[in-house]
C-alpha cells in the first residue's frame, strides 16, 4: 500500500511538472489557447482590462451597471454624469450572474452605490460556460473572490486561467497598455464602450430570419441572482433588474417569451427588486436599422434614447439620485 | 455519482482504503452501503426501486430453490413473478409514455378521439441494466444453472455493486456472486492494472467522447441547417463518441472492480475492427449481446430451426435490443437495421468470396480485410444516424442529405460561401478544437490497432521512472485536453 501511495504521488508530481512545462512553453513560444482547457485573454474583447483597472480607482458612485456586452455597450455613464449622477459600468463580455456576483463581492463595498442595475438578458440566464470568468480573471488581480469563484465553479479552465494570471502578475503587473484596441468600438472612461457606426450591420433579411430561440434557465445562474440580491440587501443597495432593449426581430425569435417573463418576474419578487423590461415597456421607439448595431447591441442613437428613459425610471425608483 | 466527477475522486479512494482495512466479514457491508450511497447521490428516492427489485428477486430465487429440477413446473410462478415485476418496473418508468403516445397517434390516424395519459417520471438511472441483471439471475435459478443465493446482503450487493450498477457490464450471477464472497487481498500489480484501465477509460470519456459531443450535438440538434460534409463528419464523430463514452465507462467500471479484486466481464473488444456485422456484435456491448443471445435468441430457437424462422429470430432479437436502448422509434429502427444487416450477411455468406476473387482482391488478404472493416464501419455509421437523431424525420433527412448535399457542401467549404467554412467544416468549433478532435481519434485508432494486432505495449516491463513519467504525461494530457463538464454517460439514459 505504501509503495502504491508513493507511486501515485510521484505520478501526480510528474503530471504537475508536465503541465507547467507545456503551459510555460506554449505561453512563451506559441499560443497557450491551443490547449483546450487553458484560456488566457489579457486585454481581450470588451476592454475588460481597462474597465477593471479603472474600477479599482472608483469610490462612492450612485449607479452601478452589471451584465454582459449589452450593458457595457448600452449604458452610457456620460449621459448620467451630465445629469449629475455618478455611474460606473462594470459590464464584461458574456458576463453571467455567477460572474456578476464575484465582481460585486470584489467591488461593491468600495463603489458604495445607491443602486445596482443588473441586466437579465435571456441567453445569459441559460449560460453554463466559463468564458466570461476567464475574461475577468485574465484581466484582474488575483484576489480571494477570484479564488472563490474558481473553487465554486470547479472548472479546470478557470483554475488554469487563475494560475496563469497569478504567474504572469508575479513577473509583470497588469498594465493598461496590454489592452488591445478594437476598431468597432472604443472605451470611454466610466466603463462604457462606444461605437460610431450608425447602421445595423445585419441586413433586414438576416434580421427577419433569425433562428427561433427557446428560453431555458440554468439553475446555477438563478441561484447566483438570489445571492446578488442578498449581497445588495446586506449593503442596503437598491437592486433594479432590467432587460435592455434588443431588436424587435430578436425579441420575437424567443418562442416562449412569456415563460422568460414569468421567471424574471418571480426572481424580482423573491429579490425584492424592481424589474423593467424595455422590450415590453411602452414609450421606447427604436429602429432595428438605425438604433442597433446587430441583433442585440444598441447604436449610439439607440443608447441615447434608451438611457434617457432608463434615467427617468431610475429617478422614479430612487428619488434620492443626484440629490 | 459520475465516474468523471469530483465526488468520485473522493469516494473511490475512500471506499478502496476502507475495503482493504476492514476484516473480510465486514467488507460486503461496506460495499453495499457504498453502492447505495453511489446510487442515492443521484436521486435518493429511486433507491427504493432498486431495493424492491432486489427483495422480489431474492424471494423468487429462494422460493424456486425449494424445488428440485424434476419439480421445475413449481418454480414457474416465481419466475413469472420475477419477470413481470422487473419488466413492469421497466415498462412503468421507461416505456409507458412511448406506448401511450403511440396509441394516441394510432387512434388519431384511425379517426378515434383518444387522449392518452402521460406521466412525467424521471427514468431511474441504470434501470435497464440492473433489471436485466436480476432477470438473468431468476432465469438461471429457474433452469437450475445456479443455486439461489441465501445471503440477502450479498444478493443485494450483486444487484447494486457500484462499479457496474448504472451502465454495466451486465453481470451474470455465475460470475459475480461467488466473487463477492471471496477474500481479496491487496495486490499491487492488480491495483495498478485497475488504475491504468480506469485512467484509459477516463481519457476516452473526457478527452475523446466529450470533446466530440460538442461538435456532434451542434449538427444533430439542428440537422436541417447542414448538408453533405458536416453531416458525414458529425456521424463519424458520433461513432467514436458513443464508443469512447460507453467503452470508457466500461473500462472505468472494470478497472474500479479490479482494484478491489473483482473480475468483471469484458464489454468491448475493439468493435470498429470488425469485418462483419456478426463480428461487430461479438465485440460491441458484449454483456448485452450475450444476454440477448442466452435469454431471448436461443429460447426462440436460435439457428436450430428452419431458415426463415432463424432469420425471424435474428431480426426480432435485434429489434428488441434496439427497444431496450430507448423508448423511441429511432432505437427500434437502429436495432432493425442491424438485424437486416446481419441477415443480409448470412444470406450472402456463401457468395461473399466471389466478388473479391473476381477483382483479384483475394490475393491481398490484408487489403480485403481492410475494405471489409471499412464497409462494416460505414454500415454501422449509417445505423448510428438513427441511434443519435432526435427523431425519425431528422434521421431520414441526415441519411438523404449526406450524399445529395455533398457537392454543395464542398463548394460552400472551398469557397467559404456565406462564411460557412468554419461552421460546416469545424462543426461550430474552432479549427484548433476540430484538429484536436481528429488527433485524439487517430491516437485512439493507433492504440486499438496495436492492441488488435497484439503488439503489446510492455509498459509493465519498463523501468519505474519511465513508467511514472509516462503515466504523469497521460494525467497531464487528460487535464489539459479533457472536457470536465461532468456530462453524463450516454448509456445512463438506458
Amino acid at each position: 500500500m505504501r509503495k502504491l501511495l508513493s507511486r501515485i504521488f510521484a505520478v501526480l508530481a510528474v503530471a504537475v511538472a508536465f503541465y507547467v512545462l507545456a503551459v510555460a512553453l506554449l505561453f512563451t513560444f506559441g499560443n497557450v489557447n491551443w490547449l483546450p482547457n487553458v484560456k488566457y485573454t489579457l486585454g481581450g474583447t470588451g476592454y475588460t482590462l481597462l474597465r477593471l483597472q479603472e474600477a479599482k480607482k472608483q469610490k462612492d458612485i450612485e449607479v452601478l451597471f452589471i451584465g454582459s456586452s449589452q450593458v457595457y455597450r448600452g449604458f452610457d455613464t456620460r449621459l448620467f454624469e451630465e445629469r449629475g449622477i455618478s455611474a460606473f459600468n462594470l459590464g464584461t463580455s458574456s458576463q453571467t450572474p455567477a460572474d456578476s456576483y464575484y465582481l460585486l463581492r470584489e467591488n461593491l463595498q468600495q463603489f458604495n452605490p445607491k443602486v445596482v442595475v443588473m441586466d437579465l438578458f435571456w441567453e445569459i440566464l441559460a449560460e453554463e460556460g466559463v468564458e466570461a470568468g476567464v475574461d475577468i480573471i485574465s484581466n484582474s488581480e488575483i484576489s480571494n473572490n477570484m479564488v472563490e469563484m474558481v473553487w465554486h465553479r470547479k472548472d479546470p479552465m478557470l483554475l488554469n486561467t487563475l494560475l496563469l494570471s497569478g504567474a504572469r502578475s508575479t513577473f509583470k503587473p497588469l498594465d493598461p497598455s496590454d489592452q488591445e484596441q478594437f476598431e468597432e468600438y472604443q472605451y470611454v472612461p466610466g466603463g462604457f464602450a462606444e461605437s460610431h457606426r450608425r447602421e445595423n450591420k445585419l441586413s433586414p433579411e438576416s434580421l427577419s430570419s433569425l433562428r427561433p430561440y427557446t428560453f431555458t434557465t440554468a439553475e446555477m445562474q438563478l441561484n447566483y441572482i438570489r445571492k446578488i440580491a442578498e449581497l445588495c440587501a446586506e449593503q442596503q443597495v437598491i437592486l433594479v433588474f432590467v432587460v435592455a432593449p434588443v431588436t424587435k426581430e430578436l425579441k420575437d425569435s424567443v418562442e416562449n417569451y412569456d415563460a422568460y417573463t414569468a421567471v424574471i418576474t418571480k426572481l424580482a419578487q423573491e429579490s425584492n427588486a424592481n424589474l423593467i423590461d424595455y422590450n415590453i415597456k411602452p414609450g421606447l421607439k427604436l429602429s432595428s436599422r438605425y438604433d442597433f448595431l446587430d441583433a442585440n447591441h444598441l447604436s449610439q442613437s439607440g443608447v441615447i434614447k434608451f438611457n434617457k428613459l432608463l434615467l427617468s425610471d431610475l429617478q422614479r425608483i430612487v428619488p434620492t439620485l443626484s440629490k | 455519482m459520475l465516474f468523471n466527477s469530483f465526488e468520485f475522486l473522493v469516494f473511490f479512494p475512500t471506499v478502496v482504503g476502507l475495503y482493504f482495512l476492514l476484516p473480510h466479514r465486514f467488507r460486503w457491508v461496506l460495499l453495499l452501503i457504498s453502492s447505495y450511497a453511489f446510487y442515492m447521490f443521484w436521486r435518493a428516492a429511486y433507491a427504493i426501486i432498486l431495493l424492491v427489485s432486489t427483495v422480489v428477486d431474492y424471494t423468487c430465487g429462494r422460493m424456486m430453490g425449494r424445488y428440485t429440477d424434476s419439480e421445475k413446473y413449481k418454480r414457474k410462478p416465481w419466475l413469472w413473478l420475477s419477470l413481470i415485476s422487473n419488466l413492469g418496473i421497466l415498462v412503468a418508468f421507461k416505456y409507458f409514455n412511448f406506448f401511450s403516445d403511440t396509441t394516441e397517434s394510432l387512434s388519431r390516424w384511425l379517426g378515434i378521439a383518444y387522449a392518452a395519459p402521460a406521466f412525467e417520471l424521471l427514468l431511474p438511472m441504470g434501470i435497464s441494466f440492473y433489471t436485466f441483471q436480476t432477470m438473468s439471475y431468476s432465469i438461471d435459478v429457474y433452469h437450475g444453472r445456479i443455486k439461489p443465493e441465501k445471503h440477502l446482503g450479498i444478493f443485494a450487493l450483486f444487484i447494486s455493486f457500484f462499479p457496474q450498477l448504472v451502465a454495466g457490464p451486465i453481470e451474470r450471477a455465475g460470475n459475480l456472486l461467488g466473487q463477492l464472497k471471496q477474500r481479496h487481498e491487496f495486490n499491487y500489480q492488480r491495483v495498478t492494472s485497475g488504475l491504468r484501465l480506469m485512467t484509459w477509460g477516463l481519457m476516452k470519456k473526457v478527452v475523446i467522447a466529450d470533446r466530440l459531443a460538442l461538435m456532434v450535438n451542434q449538427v444533430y440538434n439542428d440537422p436541417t441547417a447542414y448538408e453533405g460534409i458536416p453531416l458525414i463528419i458529425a456521424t463519424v464523430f458520433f461513432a467514436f463518441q458513443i464508443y469512447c463514452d460507453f467503452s470508457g465507462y466500461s473500462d472505468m467500471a472494470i478497472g474500479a472492480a479490479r482494484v478491489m479484486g473483482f473480475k468483471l466481464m469484458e464489454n468491448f473488444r475493439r468493435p470498429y475492427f470488425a469485418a462483419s456485422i456478426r463480428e461487430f456484435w461479438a465485440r460491441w456491448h458484449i454483456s448485452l449481446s450475450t444476454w440477448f443471445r442466452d435469454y431471448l435468441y436461443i429460447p426462440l430457437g436460435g439457428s436450430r430451426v428452419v431458415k426463415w424462422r432463424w432469420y425471424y429470430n435474428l431480426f426480432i432479437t435485434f429489434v428488441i435490443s434496439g427497444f431496450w436502448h430507448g423508448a423511441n422509434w429511432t432505437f427500434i429502427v437502429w436495432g432493425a437495421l442491424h438485424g437486416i444487416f446481419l441477415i443480409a450477411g448470412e444470406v450472402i455468406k456463401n457468395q461473399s468470396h466471389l466478388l473479391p476473387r473476381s477483382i483479384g482482391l483475394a490475393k491481398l488478404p490484408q487489403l480485403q480485410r481492410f475494405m471489409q472493416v471499412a464497409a462494416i464501419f460505414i454500415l454501422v455509421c449509417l445505423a448510428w444516424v438513427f441511434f443519435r437523431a432526435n427523431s425519425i424525420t431528422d434521421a431520414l433527412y441526415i441519411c438523404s442529405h449526406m450524399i445529395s448535399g455533398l457537392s454543395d457542401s464542398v463548394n460552400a467549404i472551398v469557397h467559404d460561401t456565406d462564411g460557412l467554412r468554419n461552421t460546416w467544416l469545424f462543426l461550430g468549433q474552432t479549427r484548433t478544437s476540430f484538429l484536436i478532435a481528429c488527433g485524439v481519434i487517430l491516437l485512439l485508432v493507433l492504440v486499438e490497432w496495436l492492441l488488435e494486432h497484439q503488439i503489446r505495449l510492455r509498459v509493465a516491463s519498463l523501468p519505474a521512472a519511465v513508467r511514472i513519467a509516462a503515466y504523469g504525461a497521460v494525467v497531464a494530457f487528460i487535464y489539459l485536453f479533457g472536457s470536465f463538464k461532468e456530462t453524463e454517460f450516454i448509456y445512463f439514459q438506458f
Side-chain angles (χ1 to χ4, degrees):
Chain A
M1 185 74 102
R2 192 173 296 164
K3 183 181 171 189
L4 179 73
L5 292 176
S6 67
R7 288 286 165 88
I8 288 174
F9 181 76
V11 167
L12 291 178
V14 172
V16 171
F18 269 112
Y19 163 79
V20 171
L21 193 69
V23 173
L25 281 175
L26 280 174
F27 193 69
T28 315
F29 301 112
N31 185 347
V32 79
N33 295 330
W34 290 345
L35 298 168
N37 283 341
V38 185
K39 290 278 173 286
Y40 185 65
T41 55
L42 177 68
T45 53
Y47 296 101
T48 307
L49 176 62
L50 293 185
R51 191 171 294 111
L52 296 183
Q53 292 274 303
E54 193 187 345
K56 282 196 298 184
K57 298 168 196 155
Q58 294 284 328
K59 268 187 183 169
D60 298 329
I61 55 160
E62 287 182 279
V63 183
L64 178 65
F65 300 108
I66 50 167
S68 61
S69 57
Q70 276 163 258
V71 170
Y72 71 75
R73 294 173 72 176
F75 297 71
D76 189 346
T77 48
R78 292 172 302 185
L79 301 172
F80 288 74
E81 302 281 351
E82 280 171 12
R83 302 278 191 93
I85 300 170
S86 57
F88 192 81
N89 193 322
L90 203 56
T92 59
S93 297
S94 305
Q95 189 185 113
T96 64
D99 308 306
S100 304
Y101 174 70
Y102 291 103
L103 273 179
L104 283 177
R105 289 227 335 210
E106 184 76 15
N107 296 291
L108 195 60
Q109 207 159 19
Q110 167 207 329
F111 278 131
N112 191 26
K114 285 181 182 166
V115 56
V116 167
V117 179
M118 180 179 186
D119 182 52
L120 297 180
F121 182 42
W122 48 86
E123 286 184 17
I124 291 298
L125 297 188
E127 188 59 61
E128 287 184 323
V130 293
E131 301 300 327
V134 165
D135 179 38
I136 292 166
I137 296 171
S138 298
N139 292 291
S140 55
E141 311 287 351
I142 304 295
S143 66
N144 289 343
N145 287 312
M146 296 300 116
V147 174
E148 210 170 303
M149 178 200 235
V150 173
W151 173 252
H152 283 291
R153 299 296 297 274
K154 288 194 177 60
D155 191 296
M157 194 187 282
L158 278 183
L159 176 61
N160 290 329
T161 309
L162 185 79
L163 295 174
L164 271 174
S165 194
R168 189 193 183 278
S169 49
T170 308
F171 297 108
K172 187 174 177 249
L174 291 173
D175 190 289
S177 65
D178 289 324
Q179 178 63 60
E180 194 184 331
Q181 298 297 321
F182 302 96
E183 253 181 51
E184 199 184 338
Y185 50 98
Q186 281 77 45
Y187 185 75
V188 176
F192 177 64
E194 181 180 6
S195 173
H196 295 292
R197 196 151 40 82
R198 292 181 177 180
E199 207 172 328
N200 201 322
K201 66 180 174 191
L202 296 179
S203 64
E205 293 76 37
S206 303
L207 274 175
S208 57
S209 56
L210 291 171
R211 276 175 197 279
Y213 178 85
T214 307
F215 168 72
T216 53
T217 53
E219 195 53 41
M220 175 191 73
Q221 301 298 0
L222 302 187
N223 286 336
Y224 272 106
I225 294 175
R226 293 181 189 111
K227 288 171 89 165
I228 287 171
E230 283 169 23
L231 191 65
C232 289
E234 273 169 29
Q235 304 213 16
Q236 296 176 321
V237 178
I238 296 165
L239 181 61
V240 178
F241 292 144
V242 297
V243 185
V246 298
T247 53
K248 183 183 174 300
E249 291 82 357
L250 184 66
K251 191 249 169 188
D252 290 345
S253 73
V254 182
E255 293 175 321
N256 52 346
Y257 204 88
D258 290 347
Y260 166 66
T261 304
V263 168
I264 56 174
T265 305
K266 188 166 174 250
L267 273 172
Q269 284 166 353
E270 285 173 8
S271 311
N272 199 22
N274 287 279
L275 169 67
I276 314 165
D277 183 346
Y278 287 97
N279 294 295
I280 297 176
K281 187 181 163 76
L284 184 62
K285 296 236 179 307
L286 295 171
S287 149
S288 292
R289 187 161 181 192
Y290 298 110
D291 292 324
F292 287 92
L293 301 166
D294 50 32
N296 58 325
H297 294 110
L298 290 161
S299 67
Q300 194 57 24
S301 65
V303 169
I304 291 168
K305 288 179 192 171
F306 163 52
N307 282 205
K308 194 177 160 191
L309 188 60
L310 173 69
L311 192 60
S312 66
D313 284 336
L314 288 179
Q315 282 178 319
R316 184 176 43 80
I317 294 166
V318 192
T320 56
L321 274 184
S322 77
K323 283 181 184 168
Chain B
M1 195 183 298
L2 302 173
F3 281 166
N4 55 329
S5 67
F6 180 75
E7 290 78 18
F8 189 74
L9 204 62
V10 177
F11 171 86
F12 186 64
T14 310
V15 172
V16 172
L18 289 173
Y19 180 78
F20 286 117
L21 287 172
L22 280 175
H24 173 63
R25 64 180 187 280
F26 297 125
R27 285 180 179 176
W28 70 267
V29 181
L30 169 77
L31 288 183
L32 185 61
I33 293 170
S34 309
S35 297
Y36 268 79
F38 180 88
Y39 195 75
M40 289 164 78
F41 202 84
W42 169 69
R43 287 277 191 287
Y46 278 53
I48 294 170
I49 303 164
L50 190 62
L51 195 64
V52 168
S53 187
T54 303
V55 172
V56 168
D57 287 300
Y58 173 78
T59 311
C60 291
R62 291 301 304 270
M63 295 310 288
M64 284 191 277
R66 287 182 173 185
Y67 308 107
T68 61
D69 283 354
S70 57
E71 298 172 307
K72 211 172 169 184
Y73 67 96
K74 289 185 181 172
R75 293 178 184 163
K76 204 160 240 174
W78 297 104
L79 174 68
W80 277 109
L81 177 62
S82 166
L83 296 182
I84 288 169
S85 61
N86 281 302
L87 292 173
I89 290 171
L90 259 184
V91 169
F93 284 93
K94 188 169 174 177
Y95 298 109
F96 184 83
N97 285 349
F98 172 78
F99 289 131
S100 199
D101 291 347
T102 307
T103 312
E104 192 175 307
S105 303
L106 198 64
S107 309
R108 207 179 307 128
W109 187 68
L110 292 170
I112 303 164
Y114 170 68
F119 295 112
E120 288 299 319
L121 287 174
L122 193 64
L123 183 65
M125 197 182 264
I127 189 168
S128 305
F129 290 91
Y130 68 74
T131 49
F132 267 47
Q133 187 157 311
T134 57
M135 281 197 291
S136 74
Y137 165 80
S138 299
I139 296 168
D140 285 351
V141 171
Y142 170 76
H143 286 298
R145 292 176 197 141
I146 54 166
K147 295 256 180 268
E149 177 54 50
K150 290 179 183 166
H151 194 304
L152 178 60
I154 295 287
F155 182 75
L157 179 56
F158 162 67
I159 305 299
S160 64
F161 187 45
F162 76 83
Q164 46 89 239
L165 169 62
V166 288
I170 303 168
E171 275 297 335
R172 304 294 176 83
N175 179 43
L176 187 57
L177 261 175
Q179 290 189 61
L180 295 172
K181 294 174 192 165
Q182 285 168 5
R183 180 192 295 270
H184 302 284
E185 299 301 341
F186 179 84
N187 177 303
Y188 177 78
Q189 299 300 339
R190 197 194 59 229
V191 170
T192 51
S193 155
L195 291 176
R196 267 200 302 272
L197 195 55
M198 288 179 81
T199 310
W200 176 237
L202 181 69
M203 190 167 114
K204 283 205 265 188
K205 167 67 180 164
V206 301
V207 178
I208 307 178
D210 290 350
R211 286 250 156 256
L212 294 177
L214 299 171
M215 288 170 249
V216 172
N217 293 346
Q218 174 89 11
V219 175
Y220 268 80
N221 289 342
D222 188 14
T224 51
Y226 302 89
E227 55 184 21
I229 299 271
L231 296 177
I232 294 171
I233 298 175
T235 302
V236 172
F237 276 13
F238 179 67
F240 285 100
Q241 182 203 340
I242 190 156
Y243 170 59
C244 289
D245 190 284
F246 193 20
S247 73
Y249 183 91
S250 292
D251 287 346
M252 282 188 262
I254 295 167
R258 191 183 292 172
V259 166
M260 294 182 284
F262 301 95
K263 192 169 186 292
L264 300 184
M265 71 181 293
E266 188 182 23
N267 217 13
F268 289 89
R269 205 181 300 131
R270 300 171 294 285
Y272 293 143
F273 285 100
S276 68
I277 290 293
R278 177 177 284 279
E279 193 186 343
F280 176 81
W281 280 101
R283 292 163 172 260
W284 179 274
H285 203 176
I286 298 166
S287 65
L288 181 74
S289 50
T290 51
W291 196 101
F292 274 111
R293 181 197 65 198
D294 295 345
Y295 300 109
L296 181 64
Y297 174 68
I298 291 174
L300 282 172
S303 58
R304 293 178 178 178
V305 285
V306 291
K307 204 165 249 182
W308 72 264
R309 175 69 201 202
W310 175 35
Y311 294 156
Y312 169 81
N313 291 346
L314 282 172
F315 185 73
I316 207 73
T317 303
F318 273 94
V319 168
I320 293 174
S321 162
F323 198 41
W324 176 89
H325 283 83
N328 195 319
W329 285 103
T330 51
F331 294 111
I332 295 174
V333 173
W334 172 75
L337 275 176
H338 272 279
I340 291 166
F341 294 157
L342 190 63
I343 293 165
E346 294 299 334
V347 169
I348 61 162
K349 199 160 97 180
N350 293 333
Q351 285 79 41
S352 62
H353 63 283
L354 296 176
L355 181 66
R357 195 177 288 174
S358 64
I359 58 171
L361 207 59
K363 290 175 191 163
L364 302 161
Q366 283 185 326
L367 181 62
Q368 187 185 344
R369 169 96 191 168
F370 173 79
M371 292 185 75
Q372 284 170 330
V373 168
I376 293 303
F377 182 71
I378 291 169
L379 286 180
V380 169
C381 281
L382 187 67
W384 282 138
V385 171
F386 287 86
F387 192 97
R388 173 60 185 85
N390 295 332
S391 65
I392 293 283
T393 315
D394 278 5
L396 292 174
Y397 173 88
I398 292 166
C399 289
S400 59
H401 286 74
M402 268 183 184
I403 305 301
S404 69
L406 201 57
S407 61
D408 284 350
S409 65
V410 170
N411 276 336
I413 290 167
V414 171
H415 303 295
D416 199 13
T417 322
D418 298 329
L420 282 175
R421 182 181 290 157
N422 279 12
T423 321
W424 279 29
L425 187 58
F426 306 137
L427 311 188
Q429 298 296 303
T430 61
R431 180 196 299 257
T432 313
S433 296
F434 181 81
L435 291 176
I436 288 169
C438 294
V440 290
I441 288 176
L442 284 176
L443 177 72
L444 173 85
V445 173
L446 175 69
V447 171
E448 300 241 311
W449 185 85
L450 290 170
L451 291 169
E452 181 68 14
H453 292 83
Q454 297 182 328
I455 304 169
R456 294 195 60 188
L457 305 168
R458 298 189 183 282
V459 181
S461 60
L462 294 169
V466 178
R467 270 182 288 145
I468 287 169
Y471 297 147
V474 170
V475 173
F477 183 76
I478 292 173
Y479 181 71
L480 288 169
F481 288 87
S483 171
F484 295 92
K485 299 271 186 275
E486 291 195 14
T487 46
E488 284 191 355
F489 290 82
I490 296 173
Y491 265 68
F492 277 15
Q493 62 187 295
F494 307 136

